[in-house]
Amino acid sequence: MLQNIRDNSKGIVAKIIVGLIAVTFALFGVESLVSLTGGSNAPATVNGVEISERDLLQGADLQRRQLLAQMGENADPTLLDDNLIRNATLDNLIQQEVLVQSAISQDMAIADQALDQMIINTQDFQVEGTFNRDQYAAVLRNAGLTPMMYKELLRKESLIGYERSGYLLSGFSLEQEAE
């Protein structure tokens, strides 16, 4: 059978078919390469800062894991609606980016040493009351995070928390209240 295919592939019809296939692959291949560099495929942009598809996928995966952990040992992953999780994650990422940009615009920042201290003091990373690097790596690996991703997430969360506490702890009154 293979010999028959080989013998028939030497004809003009076979060469035309192979040529058409090659041209089709070349055209669609070039188009896909151009589309990769041509524009942004970011699902959202907040004041010029793009929320990448990668961030959205990681956030949705983290949200999915948290929901499955809350559902318990007999959780059925098919019960979760991926579109609903994706949309909720995108909304959360947009809100988080707006709050981080607001904090940064007010000149709020967190030193790397403060972040390191927060990581060291986190109970989940401790074994017998002291920080354990292996425990730290294992917990992050189970959450699907790298140390740099976790540190950036912690930075964003802390900035948002500091801005919120700044508003909560400030005292102000409206004109009607003052009268």
Side-chain angles (χ1 to χ4, degrees), residues 2-77:
L2 293 176
Q3 185 63 36
N4 188 18
I5 293 172
R6 185 173 182 198
D7 290 340
N8 291 332
S9 67
K10 294 180 182 178
I12 189 77
V13 175
K15 290 179 181 178
I16 291 173
I17 291 173
V18 169
L20 288 174
I21 291 172
V23 168
T24 304
F25 281 140
L27 291 176
F28 287 113
V30 170
E31 180 185 342
S32 67
L33 289 175
V34 171
S35 69
L36 286 176
T37 59
S40 171
N41 64 347
T45 304
V46 179
N47 296 327
V49 176
E50 290 183 349
I51 296 174
S52 70
E53 183 71 24
R54 188 182 116 247
D55 291 339
L56 179 57
L57 291 174
Q58 286 176 341
D61 184 49
L62 185 62
Q63 183 70 27
R64 183 184 239 321
R65 288 180 189 200
Q66 289 173 347
L67 287 172
L68 288 172
Q70 289 174 357
M71 293 169 75
E73 204 172 288
N74 298 326
D76 184 10

Side-chain angles (χ1 to χ4, degrees), residues 26 52 60 64 76 83 100 105 110 120-121 174 177:
S52 70
R64 183 184 239 321
D76 184 10
N83 288 331
V100 167
S105 71
I110 298 174
I120 288 172
N121 292 332
L174 301 173
E177 292 175 340

Side-chain angles (χ1 to χ4, degrees), residues 81-142:
D81 183 6
D82 288 336
N83 288 331
L84 186 63
I85 291 173
R86 182 180 166 89
N87 291 338
T89 302
L90 183 59
D91 289 343
N92 287 338
L93 288 173
I94 291 170
Q95 289 175 8
Q96 182 183 43
E97 186 59 38
V98 167
L99 292 171
V100 167
Q101 288 179 13
S102 173
I104 291 172
S105 71
Q106 296 177 43
D107 295 328
M108 292 184 167
I110 298 174
D112 286 336
Q113 295 84 2
L115 289 174
D116 292 341
Q117 196 61 42
M118 286 181 209
I119 291 171
I120 288 172
N121 292 332
T122 302
Q123 293 293 323
D124 291 339
F125 305 143
Q126 294 183 358
V127 174
E128 297 178 7
T130 59
F131 178 76
N132 184 302
R133 187 172 296 279
D134 294 333
Q135 178 73 11
Y136 171 65
V139 170
L140 291 184
R141 196 176 322 108
N142 287 340

